[in-house]
């Protein structure tokens, strides 16, 4: 593998040199000298030389303009390094794919999957049935650190092409354009901006990758079994961007309508391109390849292409596109596929990609989920009951009484509000407006679900707009979201009560199962890393068991973040670590932040990611994994209990919140125009509990501590080391949990973090020393369990961290100085440099929030 690494080194050196030349051309020799001076000092510090204080003094001497420009230069370097690394991964993927044989399939590949299924004794028919039954939903959500302008993405994509072509002059011109482009908008991004940015990879790399993935899976089945099946796509997509109202006042019904219209517009443009390609390519002569009547009839009325029925067929389809729906299009494409049954290669190469795209994306591109907090839904329903004269104050009733009243009411199709009633409260106005504006429906997620009445509230609102049917429920999934430790512990009983409610049970039976969302973010913030992971594991086990007892399939929606603290890291391995028997035929995962670029910036990287996900999902869905030994679970529960105590004793200590606000840029995250969603749930507070999970993790990542990804894990020290080593070797969940923590610990750098103590009043410094001691203890414990370094099985990541640290460090040095100045002066001129530093650290570390 020497050759690909040499190519990576050459490209990094080339791009770094060109960036230096671009800095000279745009910003002058003097500024270039400053960048080089700071870069060399940062590298010297990493080599152990005593230059930290000199570097601090040099940064302190910078003007705001110089500080901002310095951050921009190092951030641009990361964009270029990320690009080179992505190209390196593509090259390595190609080499490994070429070396794959049936006897030695590539790890986590389609071929390895099909071979594993055959080794388990599945016949060809059983494998085809199993693979055809699986659906992996990837759900795109907005994230504050993935706010790169589409203009920046355009330049990076163009650089990708120019690196392929090898023209130095064009390459240099593009690097200049990249360096001279504003990285961020001058205004806070609107939800509309987030919609356009968040869905970027769907009509680009994923549009290319999904048909290739299906074709590669079919080919793998053929190589193992000797017969090629025709498989549906195993992946579908959803979006929250424009439908997630929980805590975001900017997500209005108008925005929800825009999200659907924008997605449809993009899908229509892509499908028209597909149809144009088929019109060009399928020039089959009627004399040589006679077409059946159903194909000829579809092309009637078309004046062009006489004697070429397939061109006429697809031209007519393009003309009708605005009137069609996805099912109509699929039926018509099937006619063309049947007509060409004698030419299977033509069907596979030219028609199957269109069929796959229609099944995976359709005319909708991506159905939209709605999400709202349960309290807001109850507030909206309370107004309906008042307006209908049924109850003056539903909110005064107990949850049980509310459930009984809601259930009784839902046996009738009659809406509560009188004809012509105009909502008085904002909660009802927005809830009904969103349901009316919601065209291509995904699911309706209810955050902070505590009781069946929270989900029944959605049914009552849906009834007001004609979407509820007695005995059937609503035409979309209504999904409980369990987030905090307490909610996760109560989730199995909550699901049992839901499935004992006659209205809700009729709904899930009509829908074919119950989707349950579990939140990795709030549970971590609430209970700490170890306890949250164990609570999520046990909740899934118990909820799946309730579903089996009630005869209702349960499908889990994993609200995983980008950071390992929020369930991030290698998603395929995370699926392998889920409880045996909890993974059904359908699974959902969230996708957001820097992970989008990491996974989907290139069609081949997107394909590889989908391949790894299916490798683990398809095997987990068989449900035949072995549960952990009883003694292991008991031991881990004991350690988790102690880990919660350690974690909460830190967070609840007097003065901790003041330390956190001074030490990290959390206040600045709330003020800077980095995302549409507010950082705090209910305005400024003095408590961690009312802080959103993403900024909580993001703030700790910026200061290079990444505390939510590991703090409290040292509680495992109470267990015998030999037991921990045995659990690590034989329990996939435990191994995944420890390796996720190892990633966070390896990316952390307490030496850089110490710089931020300059921002903290001295009486609060002991909090840092406490964190530092816990860090050292946790690193030593994990290395003892692994009997190896932290990243012993993640060497690529270890190399990336080593290469990147000298370039991330200067951004942290500048960030500390800018925070210090900004807090003293509130000078608006410093805001831009600060925001660039936040995005620069995120670009350098990845998995930032």
């Amino acid at each position: 593998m020497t050759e690909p690494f040499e190519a990576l080194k050459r490209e990094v050196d080339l791009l770094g040199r060109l960036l230096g030349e671009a800095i000279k051309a745009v910003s002058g020799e003097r500024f270039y000298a400053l960048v080089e001076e700071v870069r060399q000092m940062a590298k010297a510090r990493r080599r152990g030389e005593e230059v930290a204080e000199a570097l601090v003094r040099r940064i302190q001497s910078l003007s705001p303009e110089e500080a901002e420009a310095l951050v921009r230069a190092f951030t641009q370097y990361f964009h270029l390094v990320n690009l080179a690394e992505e190209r390196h991964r593509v090259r390595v993927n190609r080499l490994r794919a070429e070396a794959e044989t049936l006897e030695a399939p590539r790890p986590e590949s389609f071929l390895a999957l099909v071979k594993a299924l055959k080794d388990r004794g599945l016949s060809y028919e059983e494998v085809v049935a199993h693979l055809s039954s699986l659906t992996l939903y990837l759900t795109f959500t907005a994230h504050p650190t993935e706010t790169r302008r589409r203009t920046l993405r355009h330049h990076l994509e163009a650089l990708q092409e120019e690196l392929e072509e090898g023209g130095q002059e064009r390459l240099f011109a593009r690097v200049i354009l990249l360096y001279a482009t504003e990285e961020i908008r001058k205004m806070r991004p609107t939800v509309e901006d987030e919609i356009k940015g968040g869905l970027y990879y769907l009509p680009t790399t994923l549009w290319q990758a999904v048909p290739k993935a299906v074709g590669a899976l079919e080919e793998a089945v053929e190589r193992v079994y000797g017969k090629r099946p025709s498989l549906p796509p195993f992946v579908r997509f959803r979006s929250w961007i424009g439908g997630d109202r929980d805590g975001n006042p900017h997500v209005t019904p108008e925005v929800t309508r825009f999200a659907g219209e924008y997605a449809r517009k993009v899908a229509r443009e892509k499908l028209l391109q597909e149809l144009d390609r088929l019109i060009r390519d399928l020039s089959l002569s009627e004399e040589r390849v006679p077409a059946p009547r159903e194909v000829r009839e579809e092309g009637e009325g078309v004046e062009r292409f006489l004697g070429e029925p397939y061109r006429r067929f697809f031209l007519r389809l393009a003309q009708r596109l605005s009137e069609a729906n996805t099912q109509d299009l699929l039926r018509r494409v099937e006619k063309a596929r049947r007509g060409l049954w004698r030419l299977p290669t033509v069907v596979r190469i030219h028609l199957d990609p269109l069929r796959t795209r229609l099944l995976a994306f359709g005319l909708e591109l991506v159905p939209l989920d709605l999400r709202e907090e349960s309290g807001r839904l109850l507030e909206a329903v309370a107004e309906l009951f008042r307006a209908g004269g049924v109850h003056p104050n539903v909110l005064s009733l107990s949850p049980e009484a509310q459930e009984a009243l809601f259930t009784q009411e839902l046996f009738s199709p009659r809406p509560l509000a009188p004809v012509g009633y105009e909502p008085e409260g904002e909660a009802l106005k927005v809830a009904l407006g969103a349901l009316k504006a919601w065209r291509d429906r995904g699911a309706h997620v209810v955050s902070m679900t505590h009781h069946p009445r929270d989900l029944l509230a959605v049914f009552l609102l849906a009834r007001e707009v004609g979407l509820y049917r007695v005995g059937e429920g609503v035409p979309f999934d209504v999904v409980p979201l369990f987030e905090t430790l307490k909610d996760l512990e109560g989730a199995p009983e909550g699901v049992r009560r839901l499935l004992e409610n006659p209205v809700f049970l009729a709904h899930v039976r009509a829908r074919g199962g119950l989707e349950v969302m579990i939140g990795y973010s709030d549970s971590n913030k609430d209970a700490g890393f170890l306890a949250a992971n164990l609570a999520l594991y046990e909740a899934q086990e118990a909820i799946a068991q309730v579903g089996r007892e009630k005869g209702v399939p349960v499908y889990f929606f994993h609200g995983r973040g980008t950071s390992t603290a929020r369930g991030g890291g290698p998603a395929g391995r995370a699926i392998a670590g889920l409880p045996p028997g909890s993974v059904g035929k359908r699974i959902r995962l969230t996708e957001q932040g820097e992970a989008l670029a990491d996974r989907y910036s290139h069609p081949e990287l997107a394909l590889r990611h989908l391949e790894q996900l299916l490798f683990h999902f398809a095997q987990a869905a068989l449900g035949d994994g072995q549960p952990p030994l009883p003694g292991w679970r008991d031991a881990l529960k004991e350690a988790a209990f102690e880990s919660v105590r350690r974690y909460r004793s830190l967070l609840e200590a007097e003065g901790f919140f003041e330390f956190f606000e001074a030490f990290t840029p959390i206040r600045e995250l709330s003020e800077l125009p980095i995302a549409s969603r507010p950082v705090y749930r209910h305005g400024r507070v003095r408590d961690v509990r009312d802080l959103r999970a993403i900024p909580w993790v993001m703030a700790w990542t910026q200061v290079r501590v990444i505390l939510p990804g590991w703090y409290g894990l040292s509680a495992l020290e109470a267990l015998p080391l030999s037991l921990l080593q045995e659990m690590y070797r034989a329990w996939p969940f435990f191994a995944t949990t420890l390796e996720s923590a190892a990633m966070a610990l390896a990316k952390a750098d307490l030496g850089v973090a110490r710089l931020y103590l300059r921002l903290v009043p001295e009486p609060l410094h002991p909090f840092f020393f406490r964190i530092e001691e816990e860090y050292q203890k946790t690193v030593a414990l994990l290395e003892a369990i692994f009997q190896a370094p932290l990243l012993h099985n993640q060497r690529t990541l270890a190399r990336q961290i080593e290469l990147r640290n000298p370039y991330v460090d200067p951004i942290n040095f500048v960030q500390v100085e800018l925070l210090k100045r900004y807090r003293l002066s509130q000078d608006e001129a410093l805001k831009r440099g600060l925001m660039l530093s936040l995005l620069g650290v995120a670009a350098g570390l990845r998995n930032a929030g």
Side-chain angles (χ1 to χ4, degrees), residues 327-343:
Q327 291 308 312
D328 288 338
L329 289 173
L330 277 167
R331 279 193 294 271
R332 290 189 164 101
V333 170
E334 283 303 318
K335 290 180 182 180
R337 292 178 82 247
R338 285 196 298 270
L340 291 171
W341 69 275
R342 290 179 185 276
L343 302 173

Side-chain angles (χ1 to χ4, degrees), residues 9-26:
K9 189 175 183 305
R10 282 196 304 274
E11 281 194 355
V12 169
D13 289 347
L14 170 64
L15 291 170
R17 182 171 56 76
L18 291 177
L19 178 61
E21 294 301 318
I23 290 169
K24 289 179 193 174
V26 176

Side-chain angles (χ1 to χ4, degrees), residues 52-53 56 60 754-761 765 816 820:
E53 286 304 316
V56 167
Q60 287 173 338
R754 188 175 280 271
L755 295 168
Y756 288 80
L757 281 178
R758 298 167 187 267
L759 307 171
V760 179
H765 284 203
V816 171
K820 185 178 177 184

Side-chain angles (χ1 to χ4, degrees), residues 399-400 403 407 449-454 456 482 490-505 546 550:
E400 292 71 25
E403 181 187 358
T407 302
T449 295
H450 304 298
H451 194 276
R453 55 88 201 263
D454 299 331
L456 295 178
F482 301 107
E493 185 54 35
V495 169
R496 185 183 301 280
R497 289 203 309 266
L498 268 174
L499 296 180
E500 288 170 353
N501 181 284
V503 170
F504 196 79
L505 182 61
V546 170
K550 297 292 182 183

